[in-house]
Amino acid sequence: MIDRRGVIAKRAEDLLPDIPYVRGWMHARRAAGALAEQLTALALDCDFPGLTADVSVRGDGLVRLGTIRPEAAALVAELITTGLVEKVRSEARPQSPTDAACKEPSAA
């Protein structure tokens, strides 16, 4: 999906034979749908009217966000940062012992 310069391949304008476009597009469609669900839950769906699934010239799925307001981009960045902070916190918490580790050894 990314070329040697680190640039995402262009979207497919003309489809070529022997490239599995549908597989890539379906992958992008599922990802775009999951993102749309979360944006709707946060009442941000109206800020992403151009959210759609697409496919690259190589058949890789692409999720197009469309043109968004700077405030929407800043809010999404804040949400990502908050999620990452919470992930680090949860990984740093000591894990509770499992039931098996708490059981007393059986007498033989």
Side-chain angles (χ1 to χ4, degrees):
M1 181 158 91
I2 297 176
D3 69 12
R4 57 186 158 81
R5 296 175 304 173
V7 178
I8 293 177
K10 294 180 182 178
R11 67 181 295 273
E13 301 275 337
D14 299 313
L15 302 182
L16 302 172
D18 300 325
I19 296 182
Y21 293 109
V22 174
R23 184 181 316 138
W25 182 82
M26 286 300 294
H27 184 244
R29 184 172 181 237
R30 286 188 295 273
L35 179 56
E37 285 178 23
Q38 295 304 312
L39 291 171
T40 299
L42 295 167
L44 295 175
D45 50 319
C46 60
D47 285 317
F48 293 84
L51 178 64
T52 185
D54 207 341
V55 68
S56 76
V57 293
R58 297 184 187 139
D60 297 315
L62 303 173
V63 175
R64 299 169 59 90
L65 299 179
T67 304
I68 60 172
R69 297 178 304 112
E71 296 83 5
L75 182 56
V76 168
E78 182 180 333
L79 291 168
I80 291 169
T81 301
T82 302
L84 290 173
V85 168
E86 181 55 34
K87 180 179 179 182
V88 168
R89 283 183 187 156
S90 68
E91 289 173 354
R93 290 184 197 128
Q95 299 295 319
S96 60
T98 62
D99 289 343
C102 294
K103 290 182 182 178
E104 298 203 15
S106 59

